[in-house]
Amino acid sequence: MRAAPTVELAGLQVSGGHWIGGERVGSASTFDDVSPVDEQVVAQVASGGPEEAAAAVAAAEQAFPAWAATPPAERARLLHRVADLVDERREQLAMLETIDNGSLLRSHLRGVMPRVAHNFRFFADYLVHDLHHPDFETRGHVNHVTWDPSGVAVLITPWNAPLMLATWKVAPALAAGCTVVLKPAEWSPLTASVLADLTREAGIPDGVFNVVQGYGERVGDALTGHPDVSRISFTGSVPTARLIARSAAANLTPVSFELGGKSPFVVFADADLDSAVEHAVEQYDNAGQVCLAGVRLLVEERIRDEFLERFVARARQLRQGDPRDLATDIGPQISREHFERIDGYVQRALAEGAEAVIGGGPNTELGGLFYRPTLFTGAAPGSEILTEEVFGPVLTLQTFASEDEAVAMANGTMFGLAGVLFTGDPERARRVSAQLVAGTLWVNCFFVRDLRAPFGGSRRSGVGREGGTWSFDFYCDVKNTCTNQERWTV
Ligand code: ADP
């Protein structure tokens, strides 16, 4: 067992070790953490396996009874304290995340890190103010409903929005009274490690929050198949979800899955075209590495040329470059492996006859992991570029002639995560929205998120919903205690 290596990055001491039972722990081997900004190794991170998974679950199990019994107001106070510390380190965390996963510093500073803090505050307040315990009376009996924490929650998170997506699970799990083992993605392990330090500084007791680092197929698999785990929440790809479901099946561990998408972005001729174009170009955000992006532009035939002309003009203004530069709009892809995967999709689409109106390959001027924002027209119906998740800066444009055709095309994949609809007609908006299969629809807007609202996917895009009461309930064993009020003897 090697000591846990620590490195100074973005003004923070960042441990590459696990965080188990309130201690930094190393592993027999480490892996290189590579920054997408310049493909340089920035940290050595412990590569956990079954042993570390078992140790983390044991630590979480040991800490569970006391944490579950901690009064809600005290749990909420500690979560608020974590939020305060996130706010205090906002700039360092933002820079660390940018170095680690290549997404924009500008986004982290303005939106993401404040949102990370908000995740903790929201669920702390939910616990104290919004969790209602209704009593139902039945002929002299009272049904009293309680939300009991279920035990040890294993949280497995992806690399595209590491701290944001981790805390969106960590906060409700801890608020509910569960103890947590977080396994961040191996391509972006660092902010989760710092979060462990912040929870200690906030006074969260040892073992309540644990972080295990390593490859999904080793340590992730050991965690999801562990018999003492009460909940598994996962955000990631469909193939990995299948493996986790199989692993969880051995113990019938309940799972919550937020998976991929191939969401439609539907523009009717009666829409505010300026707004539609502006939001369509936003689908390149985070270099297209966003599960909910509306990557299939479906545009009414008679405005196709005008839409395309405006879209291309606007997309050409996007600045691609160093994500630490606040003027940059599009940064690099997460890793060489992922970059090649995206390029594979693009090259196959070109070979099949699709036309790249913009982009269509790596950004050779910048080199590295920079891929040019791409828009395809003329893709063959049913081809993979129209049906599979690319998870890169690659959009397609197709046209439709009628509302029915728009709906059929929008619903024409195995996914159902999100949808974007632009129309000036409220009746049409209602009609079309009612027919679209998606966990979230944005009408004449995009990416407006409220923590109280549900988020998740239909079809292969997920199992269950997160957000507000949906997140909180998932981590609980909801219990009904039915008491005969007429049999008291004292
Ligand atoms: P991607 O393919 O985009 O990297 P994944 O769904 O594989 O997305 O990764 C999301 C998370 O799932 C990461 O934390 C990864 O380590 C984890 N993971 C990958 N494979 C497994 C597995 N077999 N069991 C548990 N977790 C896994």
Side-chain angles (χ1 to χ4, degrees):
M1 182 107 0
R2 288 222 214 136
T6 294
V7 63
E8 191 181 330
L9 275 173
L12 293 165
Q13 292 296 319
V14 185
S15 171
H18 314 288
W19 176 251
I20 298 175
E23 284 182 19
R24 285 292 172 189
V25 180
S27 278
S29 61
T30 59
F31 63 90
D32 290 343
D33 183 33
V34 176
S35 172
V37 179
D38 51 10
E39 294 186 87
Q40 297 299 306
V41 175
V42 290
Q44 295 291 321
V45 179
S47 180
E51 206 181 307
E52 292 84 349
V57 172
E61 232 197 330
Q62 204 185 340
F64 174 67
W67 182 245
T70 301
E74 175 60 7
R75 289 209 297 265
R77 187 188 70 77
L78 291 167
L79 295 182
H80 271 287
R81 183 74 193 119
V82 176
D84 293 342
L85 294 171
V86 169
D87 282 341
E88 276 173 30
R89 314 281 155 80
R90 183 181 65 107
E91 291 187 7
Q92 294 95 319
L93 286 167
M95 183 58 94
L96 183 65
E97 196 82 294
T98 292
I99 292 169
D100 204 17
N101 90 332
S103 48
L104 298 185
L105 180 62
R106 184 178 73 197
S107 309
H108 293 148
L109 287 171
R110 288 185 194 162
V112 176
M113 292 308 156
R115 183 68 186 267
V116 165
H118 182 59
N119 284 341
F120 285 102
R121 292 192 206 290
F122 175 88
F123 284 103
D125 292 344
Y126 178 89
L127 172 66
V128 176
H129 302 299
D130 297 322
L131 188 62
H132 299 298
H133 295 216
D135 284 348
F136 307 109
E137 221 250 292
T138 320
R139 299 184 311 277
H141 298 69
V142 170
N143 294 277
H144 180 62
V145 179
T146 50
W147 278 256
D148 297 355
S150 62
V152 177
V154 160
L155 313 178
I156 300 197
T157 50
W159 45 261
N160 60 328
L163 196 57
M164 164 61 211
L165 290 173
T167 55
W168 153 252
K169 298 180 192 297
V170 170
L174 292 182
C178 286
T179 52
V180 164
V181 179
L182 169 65
K183 209 298 282 173
E186 52 271 41
W187 285 345
S188 59
L190 301 183
T191 46
S193 184
V194 174
L195 180 63
D197 296 324
L198 300 188
T199 60
R200 158 173 268 189
E201 203 175 326
I204 303 262
D206 292 348
V208 169
F209 177 67
N210 305 274
V211 178
V212 184
Q213 303 283 10
Y215 293 107
E217 57 272 27
R218 273 195 81 219
V219 74
D221 188 57
L223 285 169
T224 52
H226 198 294
D228 299 332
V229 167
S230 71
R231 294 291 186 274
I232 298 166
S233 180
F234 167 72
T235 298
S237 64
V238 174
T240 301
R242 287 202 180 96
L243 295 174
I244 293 177
R246 205 169 292 160
S247 195
N251 307 299
L252 291 180
T253 312
V255 295
S256 168
F257 288 160
E258 198 267 275
L259 309 175
K262 189 77 178 174
S263 299
F265 188 109
V266 185
V267 187
F268 284 93
D270 58 20
D272 173 339
L273 212 53
D274 285 337
S275 178
V277 167
E278 196 58 35
H279 286 90
V281 172
E282 263 184 51
Q283 309 309 308
Y284 290 126
D285 278 4
N286 211 21
Q289 300 166 142
V290 179
C291 57
L292 52 76
V295 291
R296 290 185 296 133
L297 307 180
L298 307 178
V299 178
E300 193 163 350
E301 228 159 59
R302 60 198 167 95
I303 55 160
R304 185 235 187 224
D305 291 349
E306 194 182 352
F307 179 91
L308 189 58
E309 194 180 312
R310 291 202 208 183
F311 178 93
V312 169
R314 180 67 189 86
R316 290 220 163 102
Q317 292 167 0
L318 295 174
R319 291 174 63 155
Q320 190 161 27
D322 191 323
R324 294 167 297 188
D325 181 343
L326 297 181
T328 295
D329 298 310
I330 300 190
Q333 308 307 137
I334 181 75
S335 70
R336 179 58 58 185
E337 184 185 329
H338 190 58
F339 182 92
E340 299 296 347
R341 191 173 166 270
I342 293 167
D343 195 44
Y345 275 113
V346 169
Q347 297 313 320
R348 287 192 296 277
L350 288 169
E352 285 173 13
E355 185 196 346
V357 184
I358 56 168
N363 185 327
T364 46
E365 275 166 46
L366 294 175
L369 298 178
F370 293 91
Y371 206 91
R372 287 160 68 205
T374 297
L375 175 69
F376 279 118
T377 57
S383 60
E384 64 169 18
I385 201 69
L386 295 176
T387 54
E388 290 184 22
E389 186 175 42
V390 177
F391 222 62
V394 181
L395 309 184
T396 56
L397 187 143
Q398 297 164 274
T399 58
F400 61 85
S402 67
E403 209 173 282
D404 286 348
E405 195 184 2
V407 169
M409 288 169 84
N411 286 340
T413 72
M414 69 168 186
F415 295 107
L417 188 59
V420 189
L421 173 59
F422 274 81
T423 172
D425 178 349
E427 278 309 313
R428 188 201 296 278
R430 268 190 286 278
R431 268 195 316 269
V432 174
S433 301
Q435 295 176 78
L436 294 184
V437 180
T440 300
L441 289 177
W442 283 288
V443 180
N444 294 330
C445 62
F446 177 62
F447 212 76
V448 178
R449 297 284 302 273
D450 185 321
L451 267 186
R452 292 168 297 185
F455 182 79
S458 304
R459 295 179 174 162
R460 302 291 190 282
S461 288
V463 174
R465 295 288 182 267
E466 295 185 277
T469 185
W470 292 272
S471 289
F472 194 90
D473 288 2
F474 174 69
Y475 296 105
C476 295
D477 284 326
V478 180
K479 182 199 284 170
N480 181 35
T481 305
C482 180
T483 305
N484 184 339
Q485 298 291 68
E486 292 159 9
R487 293 288 180 273
W488 304 127
T489 58
V490 290

